[in-house]
Amino acid sequence: MEDAQQLQALILQKDGKFQRACAQVLLLNNMVQDLQTRYDRAVAQNMRQYRYTLRLRLCTVEGLRNMYYEYACQNADEIEALEDTMRQQGVEPIPIYT
């Protein structure tokens, strides 16, 4: 029974990390949209000096967002594996989301 409690605590810890990563992905999505809008305006106005820096920033933020997304997916997979481990032990995990 103690193992199940430790697993549940680990699930809750992983879920906190998952939630923070998802929040970061949402913020970075907004940043990508804003930068894309600014980049599109620079293209329309043929402002090459701004296009270059905006494109670099856009690529950086997109890469960062993709890494947070992968991290969130990894945490979700780990949570699922821990819940499966608890079920194999005959203990139903406490539902995190209702």
Side-chain angles (χ1 to χ4, degrees):
M1 190 65 174
E2 187 174 316
D3 289 336
Q5 290 174 345
Q6 290 175 345
L7 284 174
Q8 187 65 44
L10 188 57
I11 288 171
L12 292 174
Q13 179 184 12
K14 292 278 185 191
D15 182 61
K17 291 180 180 183
F18 173 74
Q19 292 296 326
R20 286 190 297 274
C22 288
Q24 289 299 315
V25 169
L26 292 175
L27 288 173
L28 290 169
N29 277 338
N30 291 336
M31 283 184 75
V32 166
Q33 288 176 349
D34 293 343
L35 285 169
Q36 186 67 50
T37 301
R38 291 177 63 193
Y39 178 77
D40 292 342
R41 284 185 196 151
V43 168
Q45 296 175 359
N46 199 24
M47 302 180 83
R48 292 185 183 181
Q49 68 273 20
Y50 294 111
R51 283 176 23 193
Y52 179 72
T53 56
L54 286 171
R55 190 69 198 149
L56 287 176
R57 288 175 65 186
L58 187 58
C59 288
T60 302
V61 173
E62 284 176 344
L64 190 59
R65 179 196 57 192
N66 292 341
M67 292 310 298
Y68 269 104
Y69 179 78
E70 290 295 323
Y71 179 71
C73 288
Q74 181 183 10
N75 276 328
D77 291 341
E78 289 174 4
I79 290 170
E80 189 175 331
L82 289 170
E83 287 177 343
D84 288 343
T85 302
M86 285 185 71
R87 286 186 185 99
Q88 288 174 356
Q89 292 178 355
V91 178
E92 188 63 29
I94 297 171
I96 298 172
Y97 306 105
T98 57

